[in-house]
Amino acid sequence: MKALLGKPVSVLSVFISLLLLGLVASRHIPILPLPDVEIPEISVYLHNKQFSAVELEETMTGLLRGTLGQMADVNEVESETKDGAAVIHIKFRHGTGMHHAFIDVNEKIDLFMSRFPANTERPRVVRASLTDIPVLFINMQLKGQGNEQQDVGGLVRLGELATETIKKRLEQLHEVALVDVTGVEYPEVRIIPDTATMMAIGIRPEQFVAVLEQQHISMGSALVKDGIFQYVLSFSSAGLNTVEDIRNIKFSWRDRIYKMDDVAEVSIRQKEREGGYFIGNAAGINLAVFQHDKARIGDLKAVVNTAIEQFSKDYPQVAFTVTRDQTALLDASINNLMQDLVFGGILAYFILFFFIRNWRIPILIGVTIPSALIISLLLFYIIGLSINIISLSGLVLGLGLMIDNAIIVIDNIVQKCMDGMPFGKACLYGTAGMIRPMISSAFATVSVFIPLIFMGGISGALFYDEAIAITLGIAASLLIAVILLPTLFIMFERSILKGGLMEQRVREDGPLTKIYEAGIHWVFKHKLITMLLVLVVLGTGYGLLSILRQEQLPQIEQSDLIVNIDWNENITFDENVSRVQALIGGYLKTTTRIESYIGEQQFILSREKEQSPAACGIYLIGMRGAGLEKVKADIARQLQYRYPHAIFSVRAPASIFEQIFDESAYPLVAHLAAAENGVFPDPAMAGQILQDWRRRLGDQQVMPVPVTLNKELILDTEKLLLYHVTAESIYRQLKFMIADNSVFDIKNGNQFLPVTMGGNSGTLDDILRNATVMNEQGLRLPVREMVTIRNRVNFKMIDGGREGKYIKVPLSTSDPERTMALLADSVKDSGMQVTFAGAYFERQELIRNIGVVLLLSVLLLYFILAAQFESMLQPLIVLAELPISIAGAFIMLYVFKSSVNVMSLIGIIVICGIILNDSILKIDTINTLIRKQGMSVIDAIHLGGKMRLHAILMTSMTTTLSVVPFLFGNDLGNTLQRPLSLTVIGGMLFGTFVSLFFIPLIYWWCYRTKA
């Protein structure tokens, strides 16, 4: 230490070099919305349009779910199966190597493909990632397109422009990882056979399809030798590339040549839609832009805006609009956090000036704050940490801790000077005397934050950045406080002494000291009353805990709404569009923009549940305050009145943070399944059980289960035998008349057009009335005489897990324990069983995880303090401050109407790390006075309290004021950190009084025999 202070120029040069490196490194650190965390989840998407939800669950989903659930390190497996599609979510234990898990899942699927029904496409496997969340969306819409009249050809061309040009050009940008597209309209070639002509020439549907397929056979090529040369011999073929080529197809049937135009109508049309994207009432294209994990979010926004400006010039007939821009939200959050950093530093400067009364010393401390931040950024770059909301908030939180070390060193140097020590020696011994307690204090603080890394699930993975950021900030500030700060003091000795250091410092007999002395005397005079007051604080704080609102994340104020609707009816896509347009019609003029995802979407990456053709998601953008609540109530009222069977939710869109935590929308979700040896309930039985639940709980608490009404054809086997008709021939004829049969694809420019064949559209009754089938003798017979139709109600969606398939019933309840008891009792002796999931259990698990982390932190604190004090008792004296400070945090949360959530619980852990620093230094000072100067316990308590009074007040106030800016502003960063700030402020306010008055009393009580 002496050698370093003797070479101030060398020390200053090294630090300037580190600062320059830090500034350069800060330009290369990725700026991301959130930490680049590996999410231990894989999703498997299955598709088979031929199967209903029940059939798909029995033949594919259930079998694959059971196999994947047996993989190593699988924590949970869930599936959702609906008509024609299913998704299986596999959640692994945190820490699982997801690269190998992804390979294992694909291998399992490859082995399973032989057990799937024929012509089943391979399931799509998607590995979850934070980069799966789009940072912004881009809307494309034809200019001048009216809401009432849609240009079908223009929409098809717009989709081609989006997929073939815009998407590819955006993906060429270094900052863009992927562009996902939905709302594209695709063309197809449609062949509608003339049934009368086909009957007249005697060709059956399957024979007609075979004729078409023969016309599109690729001959290939062959390698032939000609002497010493060899050639590739290809067979010339006219090929089918246009609609006109298909119309001119000629084929021979029963010794006659026919032209396709003679027996069928061939045309190009828009492919039948099952989903679409609408801006207002007009169709459009929606592009989701994903950020590259090494890119800076500001750079991404700049290059995308530049690209859009160029697109607008290149394609003036198309309107490009950026919507739901997370970059703007996150940019504002990061800017506000930076402003909070500056504001906190300014407040800290005035606090220091108030106590030290020398404007030069606070300026030196002000130099150490940005220096510590820059060196922290250098360490960020070295270990590969990104700048994001979590890590930046960790730096802001560490701001108070950075100032604390500087204050402690300066206060001790000043005290040495006041004792008559020369300035140079005061800098040396004042700093050296604080190194051991500061290192111990730093270890104590770090020991609290490090266990955050081991917190289970995504919470621990995310807050790894916060723990590391605080640790790096403390390390950098400790380095600066013990090396750079005393060096600067020596270099600017003349200026500091010129400022009248001794005269301008707050006097030992000043008003603060007198108030402290009066307080400590009162405490020691009224020991019993003091203990009772402490017990009252403890009882109040922990009593309020039971009535504080519990949630996973703090509520984030939004200006938008999202309405998710499942109409719970078998409606067509066009009817879905009609209903949505009728619903939003009254809000088009009162909102900035309305975007609707209607029916099935084409996104490849989507963290949200896939929609059916009878579902929709509506975004109402640009509302605030009371208007937002009014619109929510109005939409809910309309849907309940006009569509009583619909299942819907009206809420604020999930922020990027909420999408990661993915908390269940309902406090409880019941899983109704068959008991052992029981029978899975059908819709009628499930309806009776739900009706009983509504009677027990109330109609508003039990959400309906979506069902679907299907038509079932029943063949009359006796008539089939009597008329010599096969069931297969009836199936083929009806499929030919009802369904679109894909024949082949033709290459048209850069794209392939599907060629489909089917009958004219009509009702099912019309089709059955006109359908005929040829028997084995060549006679045509009416199909309606051999079939009957009946209605069949099925579940629209079947959920499943490791325990098998079940019916998911969302429950809206304020008393989960009572609800679970009532519902469990309701299914006794019914052959059914009910299990539960939902937000209630997620919050309970979070609290348990935090509890384990808190216990681990306290144990680490105890052993670190025991090593410092060489005592097993004194760490308990210090730790006695914790329960009181935590109670103060709960009181502060209650006063400001906040909640218990992941951020406030993290704040409690933060309190454990920072509130003990004052007590550690105070007890260290008391021990020194007793051991080295031979003072009595009571005298050492009084003198040690006076010696550390100003340092304790300064560190407490600077730490508190450093988080005060989080209380203002409604951006994502401030909203997330506000509960943490309230817990820190409440803990520091109560903890400071405990450190000043209660800890000395406990110390005296433990060593009163020596007194």
Side-chain angles (χ1 to χ4, degrees):
M1 186 71 196
K2 185 176 181 180
L4 290 175
L5 294 183
K7 298 180 179 180
V9 176
S10 300
V11 171
L12 192 61
S13 299
V14 170
F15 271 95
I16 290 175
S17 300
L18 290 175
L19 294 177
L20 290 175
L21 288 173
L23 290 173
V24 173
S26 66
R27 299 292 303 169
H28 297 278
I29 301 174
I31 300 178
L32 304 174
L34 290 172
D36 186 15
V37 175
E38 188 172 62
I39 300 177
E41 181 177 336
I42 292 175
S43 299
V44 180
Y45 296 87
L46 301 92
H47 294 276
N48 195 320
K49 294 292 185 181
Q50 307 289 333
F51 288 176
S52 65
V54 175
E55 294 169 333
L56 194 59
E57 167 66 27
E58 296 296 333
T59 58
M60 295 177 62
T61 312
L63 298 175
L64 186 58
R65 181 183 64 235
T67 300
L68 296 176
Q70 295 174 4
M71 292 177 58
D73 297 322
V74 171
N75 194 37
E76 186 179 356
V77 59
E78 295 178 333
S79 67
E80 296 175 348
T81 307
K82 59 185 180 181
D83 292 346
V87 58
I88 302 174
H89 298 290
I90 313 153
K91 299 179 180 179
F92 294 83
R93 293 183 180 88
H94 184 69
T96 302
M98 294 309 298
H99 176 71
H100 294 293
F102 183 76
I103 294 173
D104 291 343
V105 169
N106 279 281
E107 288 178 349
K108 296 282 187 186
I109 291 173
D110 290 336
L111 293 173
F112 230 86
M113 286 299 296
S114 60
R115 300 175 60 181
F116 286 162
N119 301 322
T120 298
E121 62 181 88
R122 189 187 187 282
R124 179 166 54 94
V125 183
V126 177
R127 179 177 161 186
S129 170
L130 286 181
T131 56
D132 292 348
I133 301 175
V135 293
L136 59 86
F137 292 83
I138 301 173
N139 286 340
M140 293 176 59
Q141 192 175 23
L142 293 173
K143 291 182 178 179
Q145 179 177 275
N147 292 339
E148 292 79 16
Q149 186 174 2
Q150 301 286 316
D151 178 5
V152 176
L155 292 177
V156 171
R157 292 190 295 273
L158 183 66
E160 184 178 349
L161 173 67
T163 55
E164 298 298 323
T165 304
I166 303 301
K167 170 181 165 67
K168 293 180 179 178
R169 286 176 62 176
L170 286 173
E171 288 179 339
Q172 290 173 357
L173 301 174
H174 173 72
E175 293 80 4
V176 176
L178 175 73
V179 176
D180 217 350
V181 185
T182 193
V184 178
E185 306 290 350
Y186 293 101
E188 70 174 2
V189 177
R190 178 72 166 174
I191 301 175
I192 303 177
D194 187 326
T195 308
T197 303
M198 290 180 62
M199 290 175 60
I201 65 177
I203 185 170
R204 293 195 297 271
E206 63 270 20
Q207 294 170 328
F208 187 66
V209 172
V211 167
L212 280 172
E213 291 175 341
Q214 289 173 2
Q215 300 296 319
H216 197 62
I217 295 176
S218 177
M219 298 290 187
S221 59
L223 186 66
V224 297
K225 293 184 178 181
D226 184 11
I228 62 173
F229 300 101
Q230 61 181 13
Y231 305 95
V232 175
L233 179 66
S234 59
F235 295 87
S236 177
S237 173
L240 300 177
N241 298 315
T242 65
V243 176
E244 199 59 36
D245 292 339
I246 297 176
R247 290 195 182 107
N248 292 329
I249 289 176
K250 294 179 182 179
F251 64 94
S252 174
W253 184 255
R254 292 183 179 177
D255 300 327
R256 286 193 60 183
I257 296 177
Y258 297 92
K259 192 178 177 182
M260 184 61 63
D261 237 1
D262 298 333
V263 295
E265 177 187 345
V266 182
S267 62
I268 187 167
R269 67 170 195 177
Q270 179 183 333
K271 192 176 182 180
E272 191 72 26
R273 293 193 295 173
E274 294 183 338
Y277 175 75
F278 288 76
I279 307 162
N281 286 334
I285 306 291
N286 188 233
L287 298 92
V289 179
F290 297 83
Q291 180 184 1
H292 194 282
D293 59 354
K294 299 300 181 184
R296 300 167 69 93
I297 198 165
D299 296 341
L300 170 71
K301 184 176 180 180
V303 297
V304 168
N305 285 338
T306 302
I308 289 177
E309 290 176 5
Q310 188 60 46
F311 294 155
S312 299
K313 295 176 182 177
D314 296 341
Y315 310 102
Q317 73 278 16
V318 179
F320 295 89
T321 309
V322 174
T323 181
R324 281 177 288 146
D325 184 2
Q326 294 278 10
T327 66
L329 176 65
L330 297 168
D331 209 20
S333 299
I334 290 175
N335 287 337
N336 282 337
L337 287 172
M338 295 298 293
Q339 292 173 11
D340 294 345
L341 199 62
V342 174
F343 185 62
I346 293 173
L347 288 176
Y349 173 86
F350 284 109
I351 292 296
L352 293 172
F353 179 76
F354 172 77
F355 279 95
I356 298 178
R357 304 294 176 88
N358 185 322
W359 61 267
R360 295 167 178 82
I361 293 178
I363 287 179
L364 289 180
I365 295 179
V367 171
T368 66
I369 295 173
S371 299
L373 290 175
I374 293 172
I375 292 176
S376 298
L377 292 178
L378 176 60
L379 297 174
F380 271 35
Y381 178 78
I382 292 172
I383 69 172
L385 211 63
S386 66
I387 295 176
N388 53 70
I389 290 178
I390 301 297
S391 62
L392 196 58
S393 65
L395 283 181
V396 175
L397 188 61
L399 174 65
L401 302 176
M402 295 176 191
I403 299 173
D404 286 356
N405 289 329
I407 290 173
I408 292 167
V409 169
I410 288 175
D411 186 72
N412 208 41
I413 290 172
V414 171
Q415 285 199 18
K416 296 293 182 183
C417 289
M418 292 181 67
D419 291 339
M421 189 178 289
F423 188 81
K425 285 188 176 182
C427 291
L428 175 61
Y429 292 108
T431 303
M434 288 291 103
I435 289 178
R436 187 176 63 87
M438 282 197 304
I439 291 177
S440 177
S441 177
F443 273 117
T445 303
V446 170
S447 70
V448 170
F449 293 113
I450 291 301
L452 284 176
I453 300 171
F454 304 104
M455 190 166 65
I458 191 67
S459 303
L462 281 175
F463 289 104
Y464 168 88
D465 281 36
E466 183 149 28
I468 295 299
I470 292 173
T471 302
L472 295 180
I474 292 173
S477 66
L478 190 62
L479 187 68
I480 287 173
V482 299
I483 298 178
L484 180 62
L485 192 58
T487 301
L488 293 176
F489 257 61
I490 289 175
M491 292 183 70
F492 296 98
E493 174 184 354
R494 186 174 300 175
S495 176
I496 292 172
L497 293 176
K498 183 180 178 181
L501 178 64
M502 311 311 166
E503 295 78 12
Q504 296 185 27
R505 186 175 182 274
V506 175
R507 299 190 175 197
E508 294 292 335
D509 58 350
L512 288 177
T513 305
K514 291 180 180 178
I515 293 172
Y516 167 74
E517 288 182 334
I520 198 72
H521 283 302
W522 187 93
V523 166
F524 274 86
K525 187 176 181 180
H526 304 88
K527 301 179 184 68
L528 182 60
I529 296 177
T530 302
M531 293 298 298
L532 289 175
L533 289 174
V534 169
L535 292 175
V536 168
V537 171
L538 288 171
T540 303
Y542 292 101
L544 291 174
L545 176 61
S546 61
I547 62 175
L548 281 170
R549 187 175 72 256
Q550 294 185 5
E551 54 190 359
Q552 189 157 7
L553 287 172
Q555 295 180 355
I556 298 173
E557 184 176 339
Q558 295 274 10
S559 61
D560 307 335
L561 276 182
I562 179 172
V563 185
N564 288 314
I565 307 172
D566 185 331
W567 301 107
N568 207 15
E569 296 178 79
N570 287 0
I571 62 172
T572 63
F573 169 74
D574 291 335
E575 173 62 18
N576 196 345
V577 172
S578 177
R579 292 186 181 188
V580 169
Q581 292 181 350
L583 180 66
I584 67 175
Y587 306 107
L588 290 173
K589 294 183 179 179
T590 58
T591 57
T592 304
R593 183 171 55 257
I594 298 180
E595 302 172 6
S596 306
Y597 296 89
I598 304 177
E600 294 185 352
Q601 298 302 307
Q602 299 159 339
F603 285 136
I604 297 173
L605 295 177
S606 175
R607 293 188 61 85
E608 298 181 0
K609 184 168 61 177
E610 291 187 336
Q611 293 180 170
S612 69
C616 62
I618 307 169
Y619 283 83
L620 292 88
I621 300 172
M623 295 176 292
R624 285 193 180 275
L628 197 68
E629 295 301 319
K630 182 177 181 299
V631 171
K632 286 173 66 174
D634 185 50
I635 291 175
R637 186 169 53 252
Q638 286 189 60
L639 291 172
Q640 289 170 350
Y641 176 74
R642 298 166 63 181
Y643 308 104
H645 299 292
I647 301 170
F648 64 89
S649 64
V650 186
R651 56 179 176 80
S655 69
I656 191 169
F657 215 82
E658 292 167 319
Q659 291 180 56
I660 292 299
F661 277 88
D662 196 23
E663 181 181 12
S664 174
Y666 295 93
L668 274 184
V669 178
H671 294 170
L672 181 63
E676 188 175 358
N677 301 322
V679 179
F680 191 74
D682 58 20
M685 183 178 181
Q688 293 175 0
I689 294 173
L690 263 62
Q691 189 62 34
D692 178 56
W693 289 2
R694 292 189 183 96
R695 181 181 58 79
R696 292 170 182 259
L697 301 176
D699 289 344
Q700 298 300 319
Q701 294 190 31
V702 183
M703 301 295 109
V705 173
V707 295
T708 180
L709 178 65
N710 294 324
K711 301 289 185 180
E712 186 176 23
L713 289 178
I714 304 173
L715 299 177
D716 190 328
T717 54
E718 291 186 3
K719 289 185 177 180
L720 293 180
L721 293 172
L722 179 63
Y723 297 130
H724 303 286
V725 176
T726 63
E728 184 182 2
S729 62
I730 292 180
Y731 167 76
R732 286 181 175 178
Q733 180 64 33
L734 291 179
K735 184 173 182 291
F736 175 75
M737 298 184 68
I738 296 174
D740 290 338
N741 301 276
S742 180
V743 183
F744 50 75
D745 294 337
I746 63 172
K747 193 171 189 313
N748 185 10
N750 293 327
Q751 61 179 327
F752 287 91
L753 293 181
V755 178
T756 61
M757 184 174 66
N760 287 302
S761 59
T763 65
L764 182 59
D765 290 337
D766 291 338
I767 291 172
L768 289 177
R769 190 182 307 115
N770 298 323
T772 60
V773 64
M774 188 179 294
N775 68 0
E776 296 174 357
Q777 284 77 33
L779 299 176
R780 286 204 166 269
L781 303 171
V783 172
R784 67 176 180 274
E785 298 297 331
M786 291 170 278
V787 300
T788 55
I789 302 177
R790 72 178 180 186
N791 294 330
R792 184 176 179 180
V793 178
N794 283 323
F795 293 111
K796 181 176 286 188
M797 181 175 293
I798 298 176
D799 295 274
R802 276 181 165 166
E803 67 273 27
K805 62 181 180 180
Y806 53 79
I807 302 167
K808 184 184 290 185
V809 184
L811 303 167
S812 178
T813 176
S814 58
D815 190 354
E817 293 291 344
R818 174 179 172 274
T819 300
M820 287 189 287
L822 286 174
L823 299 190
D825 181 67
S826 70
V827 296
K828 284 182 178 178
D829 304 322
S830 66
M832 297 290 109
Q833 66 178 8
V834 60
T835 56
F836 299 94
Y840 171 75
F841 294 98
E842 294 168 6
R843 293 166 189 165
Q844 293 295 316
E845 182 181 4
L846 175 65
I847 291 174
R848 283 195 298 271
N849 288 338
I850 294 287
V852 171
V853 170
L854 187 59
L855 178 61
L856 180 60
S857 300
V858 171
L859 288 174
L860 288 174
L861 275 172
Y862 176 82
F863 290 115
I864 289 173
L865 294 175
Q868 177 188 348
F869 295 133
E870 287 294 330
S871 168
M872 304 300 287
L873 176 62
Q874 290 188 3
L876 296 176
I877 299 174
V878 176
L879 293 175
E881 186 174 354
L882 286 183
I884 307 170
S885 299
I886 293 173
F890 291 143
I891 293 172
M892 185 66 70
L893 289 173
Y894 177 78
V895 169
F896 284 87
K897 299 180 180 179
S898 190
S899 63
V900 176
N901 52 65
V902 65
M903 299 306 296
S904 56
L905 292 175
I906 296 292
I908 289 173
I909 295 177
V910 169
I911 290 173
C912 296
I914 62 179
I915 195 62
L916 301 181
N917 292 339
D918 294 336
S919 296
I920 291 171
L921 292 173
K922 189 166 188 175
I923 289 182
D924 184 77
T925 301
I926 294 172
N927 288 338
T928 301
L929 293 173
I930 293 173
R931 294 168 184 171
K932 294 186 177 182
Q933 298 186 24
M935 285 190 177
S936 65
V937 172
I938 194 68
D939 290 339
I941 287 173
H942 283 282
L943 182 57
K946 290 173 62 177
M947 290 174 63
R948 291 293 163 222
L949 173 63
H950 299 135
I952 290 175
L953 290 177
M954 282 190 286
T955 54
S956 298
M957 294 180 71
T958 52
T959 301
T960 302
L961 292 175
S962 69
V963 297
V964 164
F966 285 133
L967 303 180
F968 309 99
N970 294 316
D971 61 276
L972 181 62
N974 280 336
T975 304
L976 286 173
Q977 297 297 330
R978 186 172 296 122
L980 186 149
S981 302
L982 289 172
T983 56
V984 170
I985 292 171
M988 289 300 297
L989 289 177
F990 283 83
T992 300
F993 282 99
V994 169
S995 181
L996 289 174
F997 302 110
F998 186 65
I999 292 298
L1001 180 62
I1002 297 294
Y1003 189 98
W1004 172 86
W1005 185 82
C1006 292
Y1007 293 97
R1008 63 188 182 281
T1009 55
K1010 293 183 180 181

